[in-house]
Amino acid sequence: MPPCTERAIRWRRSTDPVTIAGPSLLTAESTMPTIHDLYRYPVKGLSPEPLKSVAVNAGEALPGDRSFAITNGTWKFDPTSLTPHPKTDFCMLALHEKLATLSTRYDDATGTLSVAGVDGPTFQASLKTPEGRAKIAAFVGKLLEIDGTPELVEAPGGHRFTDVSVVSASMMQAVSLVNLASVKALEDWLGVPVHPLRFRANLYFDGGKAWEEFDWMGGDLRIGDAIVRPVLRTQRCAATNVDPETADRDLEVPGALRAAFGHPDMGIYVEIVKGGTWRIGDTIAPA
């Protein structure tokens, strides 16, 4: 079992300056953006887990991403009827900023989740047993002062608890990308630091131009040796107002995006068309 990470995962910024420019189409002659960081989020609403590399498969989500979730205690999860639920039916940062005070780590081999709070000790529980899931759910319910009985749930058959699962079955498997140049553009407009993990993306890339990702719609991309298809801009909600290091609700990110750039979007969703492997430093180029 790897040790639980620090409560705040420190962001590793590139030592090179990020170029900020107007949006432009990615062409073979452009400076190629590269993967800066990769993350999965085993339990919806809980800690990101950094990855050095990851194998992706056609038509599937990032392995181990949002496989678990904690309900808000107002409804009963039925694993035999996998109707997608809106994110507000789960414990999530848009409503529960205290989730950011937790540091969690999931061990795939044992099915064990390690949990540490700001002041509390680390404890572990198995997400593969009813007793372990109940222990985690009760802990989170008490932390968030939730009425009712929250459940920690796992969906079978490749179901994922992504925000866009309510859009379509294929979008449920989409992977989220964020352009660090676009984050920097927002940061410059606000005049304060904006932690990229506010956006809880799977893949962060740098080396490109701000907002160029929005022009990638309609054409396939090669990331590493995988092929992806951009399918949707990511509209941002109040979860991004929460600082992932301090758990403070200290910014109004969707409003700032609208005021500065005329839209509430940061990042895009892509579907995996052809499987392959992603590694830190891999380029993003036209397919």
Side-chain angles (χ1 to χ4, degrees), residues 13 18 20 179-189 266:
R13 287 191 181 274
V18 176
I20 302 297
N179 181 356
L180 291 176
S182 301
V183 177
K184 182 63 164 56
L186 174 63
E187 202 171 56
D188 289 346
W189 188 84
M266 179 66 76

PDB file of all heavy atoms in Angstrom, residues 13 18 20 179-189 266:
ATOM      1  N   ARG A  13       4.978  22.807 -11.821  1.00  0.00           N
ATOM      2  CA  ARG A  13       4.920  23.695 -12.973  1.00  0.00           C
ATOM      3  C   ARG A  13       6.153  23.505 -13.846  1.00  0.00           C
ATOM      4  O   ARG A  13       7.241  23.206 -13.371  1.00  0.00           O
ATOM      5  CB  ARG A  13       4.844  25.154 -12.544  1.00  0.00           C
ATOM      6  CG  ARG A  13       3.498  25.546 -11.961  1.00  0.00           C
ATOM      7  CD  ARG A  13       3.421  27.053 -11.823  1.00  0.00           C
ATOM      8  NE  ARG A  13       2.151  27.449 -11.241  1.00  0.00           N
ATOM      9  CZ  ARG A  13       1.057  27.633 -11.948  1.00  0.00           C
ATOM     10  NH1 ARG A  13       1.066  27.417 -13.240  1.00  0.00           N
ATOM     11  NH2 ARG A  13      -0.065  28.015 -11.357  1.00  0.00           N
ATOM     12  N   VAL A  18       5.021  29.656 -20.220  1.00  0.00           N
ATOM     13  CA  VAL A  18       3.938  29.214 -21.089  1.00  0.00           C
ATOM     14  C   VAL A  18       3.575  30.344 -22.039  1.00  0.00           C
ATOM     15  O   VAL A  18       3.381  31.485 -21.623  1.00  0.00           O
ATOM     16  CB  VAL A  18       2.703  28.820 -20.248  1.00  0.00           C
ATOM     17  CG1 VAL A  18       1.537  28.460 -21.161  1.00  0.00           C
ATOM     18  CG2 VAL A  18       3.037  27.654 -19.336  1.00  0.00           C
ATOM     19  N   ILE A  20       1.314  32.581 -24.191  1.00  0.00           N
ATOM     20  CA  ILE A  20      -0.086  32.981 -24.220  1.00  0.00           C
ATOM     21  C   ILE A  20      -0.343  33.716 -25.527  1.00  0.00           C
ATOM     22  O   ILE A  20       0.335  34.690 -25.858  1.00  0.00           O
ATOM     23  CB  ILE A  20      -0.432  33.901 -23.031  1.00  0.00           C
ATOM     24  CG1 ILE A  20      -0.119  33.190 -21.707  1.00  0.00           C
ATOM     25  CG2 ILE A  20      -1.889  34.319 -23.094  1.00  0.00           C
ATOM     26  CD1 ILE A  20      -0.928  31.946 -21.480  1.00  0.00           C
ATOM     27  N   ASN A 179      -5.708  22.758 -20.845  1.00  0.00           N
ATOM     28  CA  ASN A 179      -4.573  23.470 -21.416  1.00  0.00           C
ATOM     29  C   ASN A 179      -4.025  24.437 -20.370  1.00  0.00           C
ATOM     30  O   ASN A 179      -4.721  25.364 -19.939  1.00  0.00           O
ATOM     31  CB  ASN A 179      -5.046  24.223 -22.664  1.00  0.00           C
ATOM     32  CG  ASN A 179      -3.943  24.995 -23.354  1.00  0.00           C
ATOM     33  OD1 ASN A 179      -2.818  25.054 -22.885  1.00  0.00           O
ATOM     34  ND2 ASN A 179      -4.286  25.598 -24.489  1.00  0.00           N
ATOM     35  N   LEU A 180      -2.775  24.249 -19.948  1.00  0.00           N
ATOM     36  CA  LEU A 180      -2.195  25.120 -18.922  1.00  0.00           C
ATOM     37  C   LEU A 180      -2.034  26.562 -19.408  1.00  0.00           C
ATOM     38  O   LEU A 180      -2.027  27.492 -18.594  1.00  0.00           O
ATOM     39  CB  LEU A 180      -0.857  24.560 -18.459  1.00  0.00           C
ATOM     40  CG  LEU A 180      -0.948  23.260 -17.653  1.00  0.00           C
ATOM     41  CD1 LEU A 180       0.435  22.735 -17.333  1.00  0.00           C
ATOM     42  CD2 LEU A 180      -1.749  23.465 -16.382  1.00  0.00           C
ATOM     43  N   ALA A 181      -1.921  26.758 -20.716  1.00  0.00           N
ATOM     44  CA  ALA A 181      -1.870  28.124 -21.228  1.00  0.00           C
ATOM     45  C   ALA A 181      -3.205  28.836 -21.012  1.00  0.00           C
ATOM     46  O   ALA A 181      -3.241  30.041 -20.733  1.00  0.00           O
ATOM     47  CB  ALA A 181      -1.506  28.125 -22.714  1.00  0.00           C
ATOM     48  N   SER A 182      -4.304  28.106 -21.108  1.00  0.00           N
ATOM     49  CA  SER A 182      -5.624  28.699 -20.843  1.00  0.00           C
ATOM     50  C   SER A 182      -5.782  29.010 -19.366  1.00  0.00           C
ATOM     51  O   SER A 182      -6.350  30.047 -18.994  1.00  0.00           O
ATOM     52  CB  SER A 182      -6.725  27.751 -21.322  1.00  0.00           C
ATOM     53  OG  SER A 182      -6.613  27.488 -22.699  1.00  0.00           O
ATOM     54  N   VAL A 183      -5.288  28.132 -18.511  1.00  0.00           N
ATOM     55  CA  VAL A 183      -5.303  28.417 -17.069  1.00  0.00           C
ATOM     56  C   VAL A 183      -4.484  29.672 -16.779  1.00  0.00           C
ATOM     57  O   VAL A 183      -4.899  30.528 -15.988  1.00  0.00           O
ATOM     58  CB  VAL A 183      -4.757  27.216 -16.270  1.00  0.00           C
ATOM     59  CG1 VAL A 183      -4.709  27.546 -14.777  1.00  0.00           C
ATOM     60  CG2 VAL A 183      -5.610  25.979 -16.501  1.00  0.00           C
ATOM     61  N   LYS A 184      -3.324  29.793 -17.433  1.00  0.00           N
ATOM     62  CA  LYS A 184      -2.479  30.975 -17.229  1.00  0.00           C
ATOM     63  C   LYS A 184      -3.174  32.237 -17.700  1.00  0.00           C
ATOM     64  O   LYS A 184      -3.047  33.310 -17.080  1.00  0.00           O
ATOM     65  CB  LYS A 184      -1.161  30.788 -17.988  1.00  0.00           C
ATOM     66  CG  LYS A 184      -0.156  31.931 -17.811  1.00  0.00           C
ATOM     67  CD  LYS A 184       0.291  32.058 -16.375  1.00  0.00           C
ATOM     68  CE  LYS A 184       1.568  32.911 -16.245  1.00  0.00           C
ATOM     69  NZ  LYS A 184       1.427  34.256 -16.830  1.00  0.00           N
ATOM     70  N   ALA A 185      -3.935  32.153 -18.787  1.00  0.00           N
ATOM     71  CA  ALA A 185      -4.678  33.320 -19.270  1.00  0.00           C
ATOM     72  C   ALA A 185      -5.708  33.772 -18.237  1.00  0.00           C
ATOM     73  O   ALA A 185      -5.878  34.973 -17.993  1.00  0.00           O
ATOM     74  CB  ALA A 185      -5.353  32.998 -20.593  1.00  0.00           C
ATOM     75  N   LEU A 186      -6.389  32.821 -17.610  1.00  0.00           N
ATOM     76  CA  LEU A 186      -7.344  33.160 -16.547  1.00  0.00           C
ATOM     77  C   LEU A 186      -6.608  33.749 -15.349  1.00  0.00           C
ATOM     78  O   LEU A 186      -7.057  34.740 -14.759  1.00  0.00           O
ATOM     79  CB  LEU A 186      -8.121  31.910 -16.143  1.00  0.00           C
ATOM     80  CG  LEU A 186      -9.068  32.067 -14.948  1.00  0.00           C
ATOM     81  CD1 LEU A 186     -10.175  33.074 -15.248  1.00  0.00           C
ATOM     82  CD2 LEU A 186      -9.667  30.702 -14.566  1.00  0.00           C
ATOM     83  N   GLU A 187      -5.501  33.158 -15.008  1.00  0.00           N
ATOM     84  CA  GLU A 187      -4.684  33.630 -13.889  1.00  0.00           C
ATOM     85  C   GLU A 187      -4.243  35.074 -14.118  1.00  0.00           C
ATOM     86  O   GLU A 187      -4.324  35.922 -13.206  1.00  0.00           O
ATOM     87  CB  GLU A 187      -3.472  32.709 -13.783  1.00  0.00           C
ATOM     88  CG  GLU A 187      -2.772  32.664 -12.455  1.00  0.00           C
ATOM     89  CD  GLU A 187      -1.736  31.552 -12.441  1.00  0.00           C
ATOM     90  OE1 GLU A 187      -0.852  31.541 -13.327  1.00  0.00           O
ATOM     91  OE2 GLU A 187      -1.806  30.694 -11.544  1.00  0.00           O
ATOM     92  N   ASP A 188      -3.795  35.378 -15.320  1.00  0.00           N
ATOM     93  CA  ASP A 188      -3.352  36.732 -15.640  1.00  0.00           C
ATOM     94  C   ASP A 188      -4.496  37.725 -15.526  1.00  0.00           C
ATOM     95  O   ASP A 188      -4.315  38.858 -15.057  1.00  0.00           O
ATOM     96  CB  ASP A 188      -2.755  36.779 -17.050  1.00  0.00           C
ATOM     97  CG  ASP A 188      -1.405  36.081 -17.145  1.00  0.00           C
ATOM     98  OD1 ASP A 188      -0.809  35.790 -16.086  1.00  0.00           O
ATOM     99  OD2 ASP A 188      -0.954  35.809 -18.273  1.00  0.00           O
ATOM    100  N   TRP A 189      -5.692  37.314 -15.967  1.00  0.00           N
ATOM    101  CA  TRP A 189      -6.841  38.228 -15.906  1.00  0.00           C
ATOM    102  C   TRP A 189      -7.251  38.480 -14.452  1.00  0.00           C
ATOM    103  O   TRP A 189      -7.559  39.617 -14.080  1.00  0.00           O
ATOM    104  CB  TRP A 189      -8.009  37.647 -16.685  1.00  0.00           C
ATOM    105  CG  TRP A 189      -9.162  38.607 -16.824  1.00  0.00           C
ATOM    106  CD1 TRP A 189      -9.319  39.590 -17.755  1.00  0.00           C
ATOM    107  CD2 TRP A 189     -10.322  38.677 -15.967  1.00  0.00           C
ATOM    108  NE1 TRP A 189     -10.500  40.273 -17.553  1.00  0.00           N
ATOM    109  CE2 TRP A 189     -11.142  39.736 -16.455  1.00  0.00           C
ATOM    110  CE3 TRP A 189     -10.749  37.959 -14.853  1.00  0.00           C
ATOM    111  CZ2 TRP A 189     -12.339  40.080 -15.858  1.00  0.00           C
ATOM    112  CZ3 TRP A 189     -11.956  38.297 -14.253  1.00  0.00           C
ATOM    113  CH2 TRP A 189     -12.737  39.359 -14.753  1.00  0.00           C
ATOM    114  N   MET A 266     -13.425  25.647 -19.514  1.00  0.00           N
ATOM    115  CA  MET A 266     -11.993  25.432 -19.333  1.00  0.00           C
ATOM    116  C   MET A 266     -11.715  23.962 -19.614  1.00  0.00           C
ATOM    117  O   MET A 266     -12.113  23.086 -18.841  1.00  0.00           O
ATOM    118  CB  MET A 266     -11.541  25.792 -17.915  1.00  0.00           C
ATOM    119  CG  MET A 266     -10.053  25.564 -17.661  1.00  0.00           C
ATOM    120  SD  MET A 266      -8.955  26.646 -18.617  1.00  0.00           S
ATOM    121  CE  MET A 266      -9.133  28.193 -17.707  1.00  0.00           C
TER     122      MET A 266
END
